Amino acid sequence: MAQATLTITLPDHVWIQQVSTANPDATFRVLAAVPGANTGFALVQITGSNVEQVLETMNDHPQLTEVTLTQRSDGEATVHFETTKPLLLFSSRNSGMPIELPVTIQDGRATVEVTGSRERLGELAAQFERLGLQYRIETVTEQLHDSQLLSDRQFEVLTAAVEQGYYDTPRRSSLTELADHLGIAKSTCSETLHRAEEAIIKQFLDRVPDTDPESPLEDQLVQS
């Protein structure tokens, strides 16, 4: 399973792009959302210094067929609405890839997190392109269970190393003492730890954000 964080640039003809760019200091957090047959319903929390202006614009926008204020306080409001242009919802529905909530939108850009197979991620990217949603991949990481990352023996030796203080500073256990504790040869203990450390370090580096927009990870993501 792959987990991706994307920044979506919303098209000019969509209400949320128009409202959020007209009020760049406002932050929209989509708390819940569900697509209908031709519309979408959502609950959004709006924060900022000009919430009243945002609400007035939403009430007057033709793409919002229903706007209901559910909570209001100084600098914050929560609104339930129906829209005829739920592009993110349609992209999620058509690709079979759930978008994790909340989704944050500010100044015409949405931050989206998704988790699924690379095939589904590729279909989601294709849906974005069909609907005119420009996107940038911020991170792509592979989600592995511990049982997939380390063998049972590697996990056992690594756990013992931590418990015995082998990784403490200063160390409370030497490699020889750790091997004696486990009842294995020192060379076997060293090699098993090295392989476990190699797997963990490589997984950690795979999670570091890739800053190159032309990286192979992006190519893998958009493949269908």
Side-chain angles (χ1 to χ4, degrees):
M1 300 287 281
Q3 185 175 55
T5 301
L6 305 96
T7 298
I8 312 296
T9 300
L10 302 166
D12 295 342
H13 65 275
V14 177
W15 76 269
I16 185 61
Q17 194 277 347
Q18 297 169 7
V19 175
S20 63
T21 54
N23 301 276
D25 294 333
T27 299
F28 300 76
R29 295 179 73 245
V30 181
L31 306 178
V34 59
N38 299 304
T39 63
F41 303 86
L43 187 69
V44 63
Q45 180 188 64
I46 307 163
T47 56
S49 58
N50 55 345
V51 171
E52 195 63 41
Q53 179 180 331
V54 172
L55 294 175
E56 290 177 5
T57 306
M58 290 179 65
N59 278 315
D60 295 336
H61 203 287
Q63 291 178 10
L64 297 176
T65 55
E66 176 188 334
V67 178
T68 303
L69 182 65
T70 62
Q71 183 272 333
R72 182 75 168 90
S73 61
D74 187 30
E76 181 180 310
T78 302
V79 177
H80 176 272
F81 65 88
E82 180 183 13
T83 176
T84 59
K85 295 288 185 180
L87 298 190
L88 289 178
L89 285 178
F90 285 167
S91 298
S92 174
R93 183 189 64 188
N94 294 342
S95 65
M97 173 60 68
I99 292 176
E100 298 176 23
L101 298 174
V103 170
T104 301
I105 301 171
Q106 187 171 30
D107 196 16
R109 292 182 176 84
T111 301
V112 172
E113 293 187 355
V114 292
T115 301
S117 68
R118 288 189 177 272
E119 289 76 13
R120 289 290 183 187
L121 289 172
E123 181 56 33
L124 180 65
Q127 290 294 329
F128 286 161
E129 292 175 354
R130 292 187 190 109
L131 294 174
L133 297 169
Q134 298 179 6
Y135 65 92
R136 181 177 71 249
I137 299 170
E138 305 295 348
T139 62
V140 179
T141 58
E142 202 70 34
Q143 300 297 303
L144 296 175
H145 189 273
D146 288 341
S147 62
Q148 296 174 293
L149 182 64
L150 303 177
S151 69
D152 291 342
R153 187 55 168 163
Q154 289 170 349
F155 187 79
E156 177 188 359
V157 172
L158 188 65
T159 299
V162 173
E163 293 174 347
Q164 294 299 309
Y166 178 75
Y167 290 108
D168 289 357
T169 304
R171 280 181 173 169
R172 293 187 291 109
S173 174
S174 66
L175 183 62
T176 300
E177 291 170 333
L178 178 61
D180 290 342
H181 171 77
L182 290 166
I184 59 177
K186 180 179 177 180
S187 60
T188 301
C189 184
S190 176
E191 181 180 357
T192 304
L193 278 179
H194 176 74
R195 291 185 181 279
E197 292 162 356
E198 177 186 15
I200 292 170
I201 290 170
K202 285 181 177 179
Q203 185 194 47
F204 170 78
L205 291 177
D206 283 344
R207 294 179 182 227
V208 175
D210 192 335
T211 58
D212 181 3
E214 302 300 327
S215 68
L217 287 176
E218 182 167 352
D219 294 337
Q220 291 179 36
L221 181 60
V222 298
Q223 274 187 329
S224 56

